[in-house]
Structures are given as C-alpha cells and as structure tokens.
Amino acid sequence: MRNKVVKFGGSSLASAEQFKKVGEIIRSDETRRYVVPSAPGKRYSTDIKVTDMLYDCYRAASEGENIDKKMMRIQMRYQEIIEGLNLDLSLEEEFSVITENFKKQIGKDYAASRGEYLNGIIMANYLGYEFVDPAGYIFFGEDGILDAEYTQKCLSERLCGIERAVIPGFYGSDKKGNVKTFSRGGSDVTGSLVAKAVSADLYENWTDVSGFLVTDPRIVDNPEVISTITYKELRELAYMGATVLHEDAVFPLRKEGIPINIRNTNRPLDKGTMIVESTCNKPKYIITGIAGKKGFAAINIEKDMMNTEIGFGRRVMQVFEENGLSFEHVPSGIDTMTVFVHQDEFADKEQNVIAGLHRAVQPDHIDLEADLALIAVVGRGMRRNRGTAATIFTALAENHINIKMIDQGSSELNIIIGVENRDFEAATRTIYDAFVK
Ligand code: ASP
C-alpha cells in the first residue's frame, strides 16, 4: 500500500481545536499512515511551548524547587486537549512517573522529550493508531550524533509490519537507553527518518505557513509561496537564514529521492511547497528565493603583483584556519583579495588575524570593513538565462543602493550580493519587486 509520513508541528497540535484539524487531514487520505507529532506549541503569540515549560520545570527541579505547580500547568495543557477531544484517556500515571524522574534528575533531554511523548499518546488514542516509542528505535552514538545506519535498520524493521502508527518526534535514545533529543525543531528530523524507514512516497511536513516563502515576511509583506524548490536551492536559502525545516531533516531524504511537501494545517487546501531532488517544473519567476544575513566583516588585503605569487591565497586562508575562523566568500582582483567572515566570530580575533596576515604574506595594505550584509538570490531558473544579474543591479542602482560585493559561482544557482547592513532590507525588497510582480 502507498504511504505518506505526516509530521505536525507544535502550533498544529497546540489545542483540541488544532488536533481536530489534524485529525481531519489524516482521515481525508488513507495513505497518511505514519504520523509524527511535535509537542503542543503556542496557542497565541505570548503563549509558552510545552517543550519550554518542560525545560523550565526541569531546571527548577535541579535547583531543588518544588515543581508541583509547574508540572500541574503542563498537565493542564494536555488535559485540555484530552477533554476537548472527548477521549477516554488519563495521563495521571504518566505524570507521576515523569515527576519522579524529574526529581531524580534523570536528564534534561528526557525532560524535553516528554512533550512529544505525551502528545504521541494522545494522538495515537485519538486516531486509533499504534503508538511507537522512538526511544527504542532511533539511536544516538557516544558522540551524541545520530547513528543513522542502525536507526534506519531498527526503525524500518519496527514500522514495516505496522499499518498505521504514531511516532513522537524530537527524540530517541543512546545505546545505554538514556533518552536523547535532537536540537530544537528536531521533530522534522524524526519525520524524515520515519519517511526513509518506510520508503514513503511523500513526507508531508504540516506547519502554520503555506510553504516556503520567496523571502522573509518580516521584510516583504506577504511574500509569495515557492511552489517547487530543489534540495540544492533550499540549502542555499537555508544557509542564508531562511527557515521552515530543520536542516538535518533534508539529508536522509535527499539520498532516497523522497520529496517533502510543506503544508499549512490551517489552510489544508493550499498546495504548499514541494521540495524535490530535481524537477522540470519551471519556477514561476526566474528566481526561486531571496535570503540574507547581516553582520559580516570584510578583510581586504592588497599587495602589488599578488597575482604572480603562487601560494598567496593558501597562506592567507591558513591564517583564518589557524584562528578557527570559517570564511564565507573570497572575491579577488589581480592585486587584492577580500575575505568575508562573520563579524561576531571575527571581533575577538581581529588583531591576531591582522598580525598573522602580515607575517604570512607581507601585504602592502590591509583594510577592514564591518557591518556588511550578504544577500543570496537563488534560482535554478537563472541558469543559461540572460539578464538576471542586470535586473538585480539595475534595480539596486535605481533605488540608490550601493553594492559592495558580487559573487556568482559558475553553477549559476545563486548570485550573492554584499551591501551595507543598513541597506539590507531595502535591497531585499528591491530585488523581490524586480522579479516578483
Ligand atoms: N518540541 C521541540 C521544540 O520545540 C521539537 C519540535 O517541535 O520539533 O523544539
């Protein structure tokens, strides 16, 4: 039978009302057989996520405080959902075990994981699906990193015999049996591991936006949704700060060719964004997305006849390596080379780097510039398409925005533009308007 793995984020499961929407979504398609829930998230903007309540409660326990009230508030969140759904289910016993374990301080990861664990019990009860505790099937190595191979084997053995199951997101365990979580937002990763384990046709990731947006909605009002994006494009945009999915969720699926569909629980008819390995599907606009970050510094190194000095670049980069700095971009001219780094990482090491550069390459001049922003304009549609760069630069010039740096790799998947921090928002809006109308 065909199968889809469906993961629901915290806001999709924050209340009984949200649970009902989720129930309808799952029941409307019988191939939605494996469900990965997050913990209840925020019901309104000032609300607190259950995961954060759990961290706070565990901290209180570790400081010897009485946690009864905090635990009761967490229990109320679940009780409200159970009652709103009219379920014949009590979490009383679960809560007494959890409280004991908090007092025994069995682990912060254990504490946080209970958010998903309890929501999974409710979800399984609500849907009539089998509950599978990932602590027995998702494993982390001694280094704290997911043991992907072993997990794949165990999870797939466990799930292949089950027609319909709920597998809570966010956690697994180490080989000693201690619960261990992924980093925040990690239910996305669980969803992708489950999708891989059952060789799903599709991994649906249900959240509270109708997909991956062309650009940051805090900068552009109501940006359009990207209908199809490739894994490579997503990586470029995610690297520059665009988020909708946990970074580690992509890798397991990319190798298997399983597409991901980002969907909106509150607008289930919207098609959302398809994330795919490759596609003939032409993007609606030449560009797929725009993302960027502020806070870069540029170190500009000048030396006469630099171009004839073999090994110059290597010696420069070695100075950065020795100072534990990773670089972002290195545009160069015949007698100049500029290295872009994250300003906050660079700040403390600045003088060491300058001294190191003087020793390594005896430059004529080193010039530093701070408060720069980088904007990535990404799109598979740019390839062999004339005029993309011209459109960007004309639009920026017309809007009086000075470009400090340009970088385009020969893959033609993206163009990176450096501007001053203060021009960042205006530049992003300008580029968006130039392509998306
Ligand atoms: N509940 C966890 C968090 O808030 C994991 C998740 O929602 O994916 O980060």
Side-chain angles (χ1 to χ4, degrees):
M1 202 201 321
R2 313 218 64 131
N3 70 49
K4 287 181 190 157
V5 170
V6 284
K7 179 259 165 178
F8 291 89
S11 59
S12 301
L13 299 169
S15 63
E17 196 191 329
Q18 290 299 87
F19 255 79
K20 286 181 190 163
K21 293 184 193 167
V22 167
E24 248 169 65
I25 290 166
I26 296 171
R27 292 189 188 106
S28 69
D29 178 348
E30 60 165 22
T31 66
R32 293 183 173 133
R33 291 167 47 202
Y34 301 97
V35 180
V36 176
S38 282
K42 294 184 180 190
R43 293 160 293 184
Y44 39 87
S45 63
T46 53
D47 199 10
I48 302 173
K49 288 177 167 195
V50 165
T51 310
D52 291 312
M53 296 170 86
L54 287 161
Y55 277 127
D56 178 56
C57 186
Y58 192 73
R59 180 206 45 79
S62 73
E63 288 166 11
E65 282 176 36
N66 181 322
I67 57 168
D68 293 350
K69 266 204 189 126
K70 287 188 192 286
M71 201 51 102
M72 185 48 79
R73 256 182 247 132
I74 298 170
Q75 192 166 353
M76 285 309 296
R77 291 285 313 258
Y78 288 102
Q79 197 52 37
E80 231 177 83
I81 297 172
I82 292 175
E83 281 166 20
L85 298 174
N86 277 323
L87 300 180
D88 182 17
L89 175 69
S90 164
L91 294 178
E92 213 50 62
E93 216 158 285
E94 295 289 351
F95 268 95
S96 63
V97 173
I98 293 170
T99 308
E100 276 316 299
N101 285 335
F102 270 50
K103 287 183 183 153
K104 278 193 240 152
Q105 290 285 291
I106 77 164
K108 192 173 161 205
D109 283 15
Y110 164 85
S113 76
R114 296 306 87 183
E116 281 47 29
Y117 170 80
L118 295 165
N119 233 16
I121 293 179
I122 297 181
M123 179 66 92
N125 185 291
Y126 179 50
L127 297 171
Y129 282 21
E130 189 167 334
F131 175 82
V132 173
D133 189 341
Y137 309 97
I138 292 179
F139 293 104
F140 292 81
E142 271 166 31
D143 48 7
I145 293 172
L146 175 79
D147 183 340
E149 227 170 274
Y150 190 52
T151 294
Q152 161 72 10
K153 181 174 163 288
C154 297
L155 202 54
S156 128
E157 272 171 17
R158 176 71 180 100
L159 293 178
C160 284
I162 313 180
E163 204 175 300
R164 296 176 186 279
V166 171
I167 309 99
F170 193 36
Y171 72 96
S173 67
D174 64 17
K175 304 239 165 79
K176 291 191 202 111
N178 302 313
V179 167
K180 174 122 191 56
T181 60
F182 292 106
S183 55
R184 295 301 301 264
S187 298
D188 287 343
V189 186
T190 309
S192 90
L193 295 173
V194 171
K196 184 174 172 190
V198 300
S199 298
D201 300 312
L202 181 65
Y203 169 26
E204 288 180 344
N205 191 296
W206 292 81
T207 171
D208 52 10
V209 284
S210 288
F212 203 84
L213 303 173
V214 172
T215 195
D216 189 338
R218 288 167 300 186
I219 300 176
V220 170
D221 263 348
N222 260 323
E224 289 231 7
V225 171
I226 300 169
S227 59
T228 307
I229 185 169
T230 64
Y231 285 123
K232 269 195 192 152
E233 290 172 311
L234 180 74
R235 163 114 178 94
E236 297 283 348
L237 291 169
Y239 185 71
M240 286 307 252
T243 50
V244 71
L245 201 64
H246 192 294
E247 238 202 313
D248 297 340
V250 171
F251 186 70
L253 298 187
R254 183 174 180 172
K255 279 176 77 183
E256 303 298 308
I258 300 173
I260 306 174
N261 190 193
I262 309 285
R263 299 284 291 265
N264 188 347
T265 302
N266 305 317
R267 293 177 59 100
L269 296 178
D270 289 356
K271 289 201 168 72
T273 300
M274 285 295 283
I275 306 171
V276 299
E277 170 68 44
S278 66
T279 176
C280 293
N281 189 312
K282 288 237 165 55
K284 195 160 161 203
Y285 312 102
I286 292 171
I287 61 157
T288 304
I290 310 160
K293 273 188 197 165
K294 288 183 182 176
F296 292 92
I299 299 98
N300 187 20
I301 305 151
E302 271 182 46
K303 185 175 185 186
D304 251 355
M305 307 300 284
M306 171 195 292
N307 62 331
T308 57
E309 229 181 275
I310 290 177
F312 188 93
R314 179 183 53 74
R315 287 196 292 278
V316 167
M317 297 328 296
Q318 197 167 350
V319 174
F320 286 86
E321 183 182 344
E322 282 165 5
N323 280 283
L325 287 167
S326 81
F327 65 91
E328 293 300 308
H329 293 279
V330 189
S332 62
I334 32 175
D335 291 334
T336 64
M337 181 169 168
T338 307
V339 183
F340 277 76
V341 290
H342 285 275
Q343 194 165 329
D344 54 349
E345 292 166 17
F346 179 65
D348 282 350
K349 299 172 173 168
E350 177 189 276
Q351 296 309 316
N352 288 347
V353 172
I354 294 175
L357 288 171
H358 277 284
R359 275 197 303 272
V361 293
Q362 294 88 42
D364 296 334
H365 191 64
I366 295 179
D367 188 38
L368 299 183
E369 191 162 4
D371 303 324
L372 299 173
L374 294 176
I375 301 172
V377 185
V378 176
R380 60 189 185 280
M382 296 190 322
R383 205 151 181 226
R384 301 201 187 89
N385 204 323
R386 277 169 298 160
T388 315
T391 306
I392 297 172
F393 302 140
T394 310
L396 290 174
E398 280 170 0
N399 283 281
H400 311 287
I401 294 166
N402 181 33
I403 300 170
K404 312 275 314 176
M405 194 266 309
I406 303 163
D407 194 353
Q408 182 192 19
S410 55
S411 68
E412 294 185 73
L413 186 66
N414 63 5
I415 297 176
I416 311 276
I417 298 141
V419 296
E420 284 180 33
N421 273 351
R422 63 186 155 98
D423 288 334
F424 173 65
E425 285 84 5
T428 304
R429 275 192 288 271
T430 301
I431 299 169
Y432 181 87
D433 290 341
F435 290 96
V436 182
K437 280 184 200 109

Short mmCIF file of all heavy atoms in Angstrom, two decimals, residues 40 45 62 77 82 104 137 155 163 231 255 275 295 301 307 361 371 374:
data_model
loop_
_atom_site.label_atom_id
_atom_site.label_comp_id
_atom_site.label_asym_id
_atom_site.label_seq_id
_atom_site.Cartn_x
_atom_site.Cartn_y
_atom_site.Cartn_z
N PRO A 40 2.82 20.13 22.09
CA PRO A 40 1.94 21.29 21.89
C PRO A 40 2.74 22.60 21.89
O PRO A 40 3.55 22.84 22.78
CB PRO A 40 1.00 21.23 23.11
CG PRO A 40 1.04 19.81 23.56
CD PRO A 40 2.42 19.31 23.26
N SER A 45 0.37 34.26 20.43
CA SER A 45 1.79 34.63 20.32
C SER A 45 2.53 34.72 21.66
O SER A 45 3.72 34.46 21.71
CB SER A 45 1.94 35.92 19.53
OG SER A 45 1.30 36.94 20.21
N SER A 62 16.12 20.87 39.33
CA SER A 62 17.57 20.73 39.58
C SER A 62 18.04 21.75 40.61
O SER A 62 19.06 21.56 41.26
CB SER A 62 18.35 20.89 38.28
OG SER A 62 18.33 22.25 37.89
N ARG A 77 -2.26 21.54 30.14
CA ARG A 77 -2.23 21.71 28.68
C ARG A 77 -2.73 20.44 27.99
O ARG A 77 -3.48 20.48 27.03
CB ARG A 77 -0.79 22.00 28.18
CG ARG A 77 -0.20 23.35 28.56
CD ARG A 77 -0.75 24.51 27.77
NE ARG A 77 -0.83 24.33 26.32
CZ ARG A 77 0.01 24.84 25.44
NH1 ARG A 77 1.02 25.55 25.84
NH2 ARG A 77 -0.17 24.65 24.14
N ILE A 82 -7.25 16.54 25.86
CA ILE A 82 -7.97 15.27 26.05
C ILE A 82 -9.47 15.53 26.20
O ILE A 82 -10.30 14.87 25.56
CB ILE A 82 -7.41 14.52 27.30
CG1 ILE A 82 -5.98 14.05 27.02
CG2 ILE A 82 -8.30 13.35 27.69
CD1 ILE A 82 -5.28 13.42 28.19
N LYS A 104 14.45 12.86 40.30
CA LYS A 104 15.69 12.07 40.28
C LYS A 104 16.70 12.66 39.32
O LYS A 104 17.81 12.14 39.18
CB LYS A 104 15.37 10.64 39.82
CG LYS A 104 14.86 9.73 40.92
CD LYS A 104 14.89 8.28 40.44
CE LYS A 104 13.50 7.67 40.46
NZ LYS A 104 13.23 6.62 39.52
N TYR A 137 14.01 2.86 18.96
CA TYR A 137 14.29 2.65 17.53
C TYR A 137 15.13 3.75 16.87
O TYR A 137 15.62 3.57 15.77
CB TYR A 137 12.97 2.49 16.76
CG TYR A 137 12.11 1.45 17.40
CD1 TYR A 137 11.09 1.80 18.30
CD2 TYR A 137 12.35 0.09 17.19
CE1 TYR A 137 10.34 0.85 18.96
CE2 TYR A 137 11.61 -0.88 17.85
CZ TYR A 137 10.61 -0.49 18.72
OH TYR A 137 9.88 -1.45 19.38
N LEU A 155 14.33 1.10 12.90
CA LEU A 155 13.06 1.78 12.66
C LEU A 155 12.30 1.09 11.53
O LEU A 155 11.08 0.90 11.60
CB LEU A 155 13.37 3.24 12.30
CG LEU A 155 12.28 4.28 12.50
CD1 LEU A 155 11.74 4.25 13.92
CD2 LEU A 155 12.82 5.68 12.20
N GLU A 163 0.57 -1.17 10.08
CA GLU A 163 -0.13 -0.45 9.01
C GLU A 163 -0.24 1.05 9.31
O GLU A 163 -0.10 1.88 8.41
CB GLU A 163 -1.50 -1.06 8.83
CG GLU A 163 -2.02 -0.80 7.44
CD GLU A 163 -3.32 -1.50 7.20
OE1 GLU A 163 -3.34 -2.75 7.31
OE2 GLU A 163 -4.31 -0.80 6.94
N TYR A 231 16.38 20.58 -3.55
CA TYR A 231 17.16 20.47 -2.31
C TYR A 231 18.34 21.45 -2.32
O TYR A 231 18.67 22.05 -1.31
CB TYR A 231 17.69 19.04 -2.14
CG TYR A 231 16.62 18.07 -1.70
CD1 TYR A 231 16.34 16.93 -2.44
CD2 TYR A 231 15.92 18.29 -0.53
CE1 TYR A 231 15.37 16.03 -2.02
CE2 TYR A 231 14.95 17.41 -0.11
CZ TYR A 231 14.68 16.27 -0.85
OH TYR A 231 13.73 15.40 -0.43
N LYS A 255 18.90 11.68 -0.34
CA LYS A 255 19.56 10.50 -0.91
C LYS A 255 18.57 9.47 -1.42
O LYS A 255 18.89 8.64 -2.26
CB LYS A 255 20.48 9.87 0.14
CG LYS A 255 21.80 10.60 0.20
CD LYS A 255 22.70 10.10 1.27
CE LYS A 255 23.38 8.79 0.93
NZ LYS A 255 24.20 8.32 2.08
N ILE A 275 9.51 20.09 -2.02
CA ILE A 275 10.97 20.12 -2.02
C ILE A 275 11.43 18.83 -2.69
O ILE A 275 11.10 17.73 -2.22
CB ILE A 275 11.53 20.21 -0.59
CG1 ILE A 275 10.90 21.40 0.14
CG2 ILE A 275 13.04 20.31 -0.61
CD1 ILE A 275 11.21 21.45 1.62
N GLY A 295 25.67 41.35 9.44
CA GLY A 295 26.73 41.04 10.41
C GLY A 295 27.96 40.37 9.84
O GLY A 295 28.50 39.45 10.45
N ILE A 301 42.79 42.63 1.49
CA ILE A 301 44.26 42.54 1.51
C ILE A 301 44.79 42.99 0.15
O ILE A 301 44.36 42.47 -0.88
CB ILE A 301 44.69 41.08 1.77
CG1 ILE A 301 44.02 40.57 3.06
CG2 ILE A 301 46.20 40.94 1.84
CD1 ILE A 301 43.77 39.10 3.06
N ASN A 307 49.17 38.61 -7.94
CA ASN A 307 48.75 37.55 -8.86
C ASN A 307 49.89 36.64 -9.28
O ASN A 307 49.67 35.53 -9.73
CB ASN A 307 48.04 38.15 -10.09
CG ASN A 307 48.96 39.06 -10.87
OD1 ASN A 307 49.87 39.66 -10.30
ND2 ASN A 307 48.74 39.14 -12.16
N VAL A 361 51.98 36.94 4.48
CA VAL A 361 52.06 37.38 3.08
C VAL A 361 52.63 38.80 2.88
O VAL A 361 52.67 39.29 1.76
CB VAL A 361 50.68 37.28 2.38
CG1 VAL A 361 50.24 35.84 2.24
CG2 VAL A 361 49.61 38.10 3.11
N ASP A 371 30.00 45.66 9.45
CA ASP A 371 28.57 45.95 9.25
C ASP A 371 28.10 45.76 7.81
O ASP A 371 27.46 46.64 7.23
CB ASP A 371 28.23 47.37 9.73
CG ASP A 371 28.60 47.57 11.19
OD1 ASP A 371 28.46 46.59 11.96
OD2 ASP A 371 29.07 48.66 11.56
N LEU A 374 24.98 40.12 3.54
CA LEU A 374 25.04 39.35 2.29
C LEU A 374 23.63 38.90 1.93
O LEU A 374 22.87 38.45 2.79
CB LEU A 374 25.95 38.12 2.48
CG LEU A 374 27.44 38.41 2.71
CD1 LEU A 374 28.19 37.11 2.99
CD2 LEU A 374 28.06 39.13 1.51
#
